[in-house]
Amino acid sequence: MSQRDQLKKARAARAKKRGKFAFILIVLIALYVWAIAGIEFRGIQETAGPVTQSILKGFISPDWSYVYSPDGEDLIRGLLETLAIAIVGIFLSIILAVPVGLWAAKNLSSSSITSQSGKGVLSFFRTLPDIILALLFIKVVGPGAYAGMLALGIGAIGMLGKLYAEEVEAMDPGPVESITAVGGNKLQQLAFGVIPQVLPGFISATLYRFEINMRSAATLGLIGAGGIGTSLIFAIQGRSWDRVGIIIIGIVIVVLIVDFISSALRKRIV
């Protein structure tokens, strides 16, 4: 092929790439225009100004007396309950997600149908939002921390199981083949060939999901699933903006601390 033909081919490839980019851009712009056009904007309410001022004042002068109260409900108890919901929820997720993740890993399955069925189960769990699960569990076990823990535990199975399955599929098959060659059974292959390789990745994925659980646990309290969110929604409904301010400040601080510790641990593991 001559240099001229090569230049023509390169120009055609660049033109094709630009055409694809332009098409995708046009589709995205059309989707945004369609979505925005469907929003019915009724203007800003007359109370927007005073309410905004009250909210800002609540952040500037929060209710510090709510941080700790020896006699009843306070910020520290609410945040500790939120943290407990996130921790117990992630442990429940690990117990349920590990076997489903191993089931969905195609390199551990005897047939593609087996692994695809596992992936189908994980896809089903990923379609269930935490807030929907919390509403369902509130009807089953009643409002409170138990419903929030179950919602987070069941809701994380899809995400954790998918990450676990991908970690198993990316491992080196050599150790498992070596154990098989010397007569090792399935349990020995799993214990000595699979788990030592995937354990760091499993821990990293679990810590990442725990960060999400911490945020979700605070949100689920807004619908009565325990945690600091319950106190937050009561404060908002009562227009106690100074209490709203201290609760949100507390949530931000705890989430940042959890994110920092989790990120530091993941960097050490991976």
Side-chain angles (χ1 to χ4, degrees):
M1 185 183 291
S2 65
Q3 187 175 2
R4 190 172 183 180
D5 292 336
Q6 289 178 350
L7 288 172
K8 285 183 179 179
K9 191 174 181 181
R11 287 191 191 120
R14 286 196 296 269
K16 187 177 180 181
K17 189 175 181 180
R18 285 195 295 268
K20 282 184 177 180
F21 177 77
F23 175 74
I24 293 172
L25 185 62
I26 290 169
V27 170
L28 287 174
I29 292 172
L31 285 173
Y32 273 106
V33 171
W34 172 75
I36 293 171
I39 298 174
E40 185 180 353
F41 181 66
R42 298 181 178 178
I44 300 174
Q45 295 186 8
E46 296 178 358
T47 58
V51 170
T52 303
Q53 289 179 356
S54 299
I55 293 172
L56 292 175
K57 186 178 178 181
F59 279 102
I60 295 170
S61 304
D63 182 10
W64 295 105
S65 64
Y66 185 69
V67 173
Y68 176 72
S69 173
D71 301 324
E73 177 188 338
D74 57 34
L75 179 65
I76 293 177
R77 285 188 180 90
L79 290 174
L80 287 176
E81 184 180 49
T82 302
L83 185 61
I85 291 170
I87 292 172
V88 178
I90 199 68
F91 273 104
L92 178 62
S93 300
I94 294 168
I95 294 170
L96 298 174
V98 168
V100 182
L102 296 176
W103 170 21
K106 60 183 178 183
N107 54 339
L108 295 184
S109 301
S110 56
S111 67
S112 60
I113 296 175
T114 304
S115 63
Q116 287 301 323
S117 62
K119 291 182 188 298
V121 171
L122 293 176
S123 297
F124 169 75
F125 279 108
R126 287 202 305 277
T127 62
L128 301 173
D130 292 341
I131 195 165
I132 300 299
L133 287 171
L135 289 170
L136 293 175
F137 281 119
I138 286 172
K139 295 298 182 182
V140 175
V141 300
Y146 195 60
M149 178 273 294
L150 288 173
L152 290 180
I154 301 300
I157 293 174
M159 176 183 174
L160 273 183
K162 182 175 185 294
L163 294 174
Y164 291 165
E166 290 176 350
E167 193 69 30
V168 173
E169 290 173 351
M171 72 177 185
D172 181 10
V176 178
E177 292 172 355
S178 300
I179 295 170
T180 305
V182 298
N185 57 35
K186 290 288 185 183
L187 185 60
Q188 290 169 332
Q189 293 170 24
L190 184 65
F192 301 106
V194 177
I195 292 178
Q197 291 191 74
V198 302
L199 189 58
F202 276 25
I203 295 173
S204 177
T206 303
L207 289 171
Y208 175 68
R209 177 63 204 193
F210 177 67
E211 296 174 14
I212 298 174
N213 269 18
M214 189 62 205
R215 299 182 185 90
S216 298
T219 305
L220 294 181
L222 296 173
I223 58 170
I228 194 63
T230 304
S231 302
L232 179 60
I233 192 64
F234 286 155
I236 292 173
Q237 290 174 346
R239 297 182 181 273
S240 181
W241 302 116
D242 54 347
R243 182 162 294 185
V244 171
I246 193 64
I247 290 173
I248 293 178
I249 290 170
I251 292 172
V252 169
I253 291 172
V254 171
V255 169
L256 287 176
I257 292 172
V258 169
D259 285 358
F260 176 78
I261 295 173
S262 177
S263 299
L265 288 173
R266 280 191 283 119
K267 286 179 181 177
R268 286 180 173 272
I269 292 167
V270 179

